[in-house]
Amino acid sequence: MADGPHTVFIEAGKVRPELFDAHIERRLSSMKGQYLDQEAYRRMLEEEDRLLYEVYELRRPEKEGELLSGISIVHPGKVGEEYFMTKGHFHEVLDTAEIYWCLSGRGVMVMETPEGEWSVKDLSPGTVLYVPPRWAHRSVNTGSGENLVTFFVYPAHAGHDYGTIESKGFRKLMVDRGAGAEVIDNPRWRG
Amino acid sequence: MADGPHTVFIEAGKVRPELFDAHIERRLSSMKGQYLDQEAYRRMLEEEDRLLYEVYELRRPEKEGELLSGISIVHPGKVGEEYFMTKGHFHEVLDTAEIYWCLSGRGVMVMETPEGEWSVKDLSPGTVLYVPPRWAHRSVNTGSGENLVTFFVYPAHAGHDYGTIESKGFRKLMVDRGAGAEVIDNPRWRG
């Protein structure tokens, strides 16, 4: 973590992760109970604890006025019919926004509020997505074989609430039932 | 200003400004007293009140937890030996950061703190610059004929203090005295 003004380089397709402060890897085993087809999940995990997504972070003090930023890379693949995705989370300080910039790949952001609104927005290179305060968000790679790479910025005091999504799930899921990416209701959603 | 999650497209070289909420134009006449060579400034202004830079904004409520973002375009040119630049400002809430992403062109960010530290960082496509809390910042186009285009994000409650820079100036200036861009002390700086 640099103290003064500092720069990193993240041209599309040319991310230089060595410039980032931290590298987080999320594997299949960390997504227990999150995918709809639990039998497919179990079988896949028996074969290999695959890397689903990675985050490179620029560290800053987690206090108001600072910004946290980094690169998220969701790898391509499916668990059963359901696309690889991030855990997804609310911000612990619910009234904080986030901005995503899609650098490469194809995907969607699945979002919802505690009040029951939901939204699914397409991500392709050049898309800047505003996730307003109160919206939980999850990146999903719906592309065919490419990584979904986004740059994100959010207020540093926002924090992460993963627990709510882990126990309730998202209202909507992204699946491929043969005709490409579609949004379906999550039959296991617990309101 | 959209209320729910929303997207815009800003691929390098393909900004679609019609998707933004506001367009701010800053002309030479708005930079009175800011350039070192005041005689060159006067002569240039007599000829034409040239457009120096433009900002396209995504509007959001200016309150804590929201983020403001947009595109800044500094046009190429010089007033005397000094490159075209933005007014530059501190944030009114001094302890707030800003992140810049350079999309195209060449330039620098000139920065300083109230305590007297200064920094000049190069901007080229792919550079992500972290401007920490407390640092005043000004974009300068040091390229040869191209626009300097950046995408910026900052906490929506930060506000702008232009007055301090307007009356004191920055400690450092960016000039071309025949050998390309160089940083010089600002002889008119008022501490």
Side-chain angles (χ1 to χ4, degrees):
Chain A
M1 175 165 72
D3 273 339
H6 54 281
T7 55
V8 295
F9 294 90
I10 46 173
E11 279 181 277
K14 294 178 206 162
V15 178
R16 289 172 55 189
E18 76 274 15
L19 298 172
F20 288 78
D21 297 313
H23 182 207
I24 296 152
E25 292 186 333
R26 297 277 193 212
R27 296 185 176 274
L28 196 58
S29 55
S30 70
M31 298 288 277
K32 191 164 153 45
Q34 298 298 296
Y35 283 96
L36 181 57
D37 187 340
Q38 299 187 63
E39 180 52 27
Y41 175 84
R42 197 190 53 74
R43 281 197 312 271
M44 195 179 235
L45 190 56
E46 271 177 12
E47 231 169 73
E48 187 193 343
D49 189 8
R50 283 183 61 181
L51 183 61
L52 301 190
Y53 66 101
E54 304 172 70
V55 178
Y56 292 97
E57 293 181 332
L58 291 182
R59 289 269 164 93
R60 290 293 304 168
E62 292 183 12
K63 63 183 193 188
E64 230 177 82
E66 297 274 0
L67 297 167
L68 292 181
S69 63
I71 297 283
S72 158
I73 303 173
V74 184
H75 293 286
K78 286 185 208 117
V79 177
E81 300 175 330
E82 200 176 356
Y83 293 100
F84 281 6
M85 61 193 185
T86 63
K87 280 174 180 272
H89 59 272
F90 286 97
H91 288 163
E92 213 172 327
V93 179
L94 196 58
D95 274 324
T96 50
E98 185 152 352
I99 288 182
Y100 282 83
W101 180 313
C102 181
L103 291 169
S104 62
R106 290 285 181 283
V108 299
M109 192 71 75
V110 177
M111 294 167 279
E112 67 179 51
T113 65
E115 290 74 29
E117 296 162 283
W118 65 272
S119 176
V120 174
K121 291 287 181 190
D122 288 330
L123 298 172
S124 63
T127 304
V128 171
L129 167 67
Y130 196 85
V131 181
R134 307 184 68 76
W135 287 79
H137 41 286
R138 156 182 285 169
S139 314
V140 184
N141 186 338
T142 59
S144 42
E146 247 193 309
N147 287 333
L148 173 66
V149 185
T150 53
F151 177 70
F152 58 83
V153 180
Y154 63 94
H157 67 297
H160 296 89
D161 162 17
Y162 290 105
T164 303
I165 296 298
E166 271 170 2
S167 61
K168 294 171 68 169
F170 273 86
R171 283 170 171 82
K172 301 290 170 180
L173 302 178
M174 294 302 301
V175 299
D176 175 10
R177 291 176 165 170
E182 60 179 301
V183 183
I184 63 161
D185 288 331
N186 179 0
R188 298 168 59 232
W189 186 77
R190 291 182 288 277
Chain B
M1 176 165 70
D3 273 339
H6 54 282
T7 54
V8 295
F9 293 89
I10 45 173
E11 278 182 277
K14 294 176 207 163
V15 180
R16 290 173 56 191
E18 76 275 14
L19 297 173
F20 288 78
D21 299 312
H23 181 206
I24 296 152
E25 292 186 334
R26 297 278 192 209
R27 295 185 177 275
L28 197 57
S29 57
S30 71
M31 297 289 278
K32 191 166 153 45
Q34 297 299 296
Y35 283 97
L36 181 58
D37 187 340
Q38 298 187 66
E39 181 51 27
Y41 175 84
R42 196 189 54 74
R43 282 198 310 272
M44 196 178 233
L45 190 55
E46 270 176 14
E47 233 170 70
E48 188 194 344
D49 190 9
R50 284 182 62 181
L51 183 61
L52 302 190
Y53 66 101
E54 304 171 70
V55 179
Y56 292 97
E57 291 180 335
L58 291 183
R59 288 269 163 92
R60 290 294 303 170
E62 294 182 11
K63 63 183 193 189
E64 231 176 79
E66 296 274 0
L67 297 167
L68 292 180
S69 64
I71 297 283
S72 160
I73 303 174
V74 185
H75 294 286
K78 285 183 208 119
V79 177
E81 299 174 332
E82 201 176 355
Y83 292 101
F84 281 6
M85 60 192 185
T86 63
K87 281 175 181 273
H89 59 273
F90 286 96
H91 288 164
E92 213 171 329
V93 179
L94 195 58
D95 275 323
T96 50
E98 186 153 350
I99 288 182
Y100 283 83
W101 179 314
C102 182
L103 290 169
S104 62
R106 290 287 182 282
V108 299
M109 192 70 75
V110 177
M111 294 167 278
E112 66 181 51
T113 65
E115 291 75 28
E117 296 161 283
W118 65 273
S119 176
V120 173
K121 290 287 181 191
D122 289 330
L123 297 172
S124 63
T127 306
V128 170
L129 167 67
Y130 196 86
V131 182
R134 307 183 69 78
W135 288 79
H137 41 284
R138 156 182 284 171
S139 314
V140 185
N141 185 338
T142 58
S144 41
E146 247 193 309
N147 288 333
L148 172 67
V149 185
T150 52
F151 177 69
F152 58 83
V153 180
Y154 62 95
H157 68 296
H160 296 89
D161 163 17
Y162 290 105
T164 304
I165 296 299
E166 269 169 3
S167 62
K168 294 171 66 167
F170 273 85
R171 284 171 171 82
K172 302 291 171 180
L173 303 177
M174 294 303 300
V175 299
D176 176 9
R177 290 174 166 170
E182 59 179 302
V183 184
I184 62 162
D185 287 331
N186 178 1
R188 298 167 61 233
W189 186 77
R190 290 182 288 277

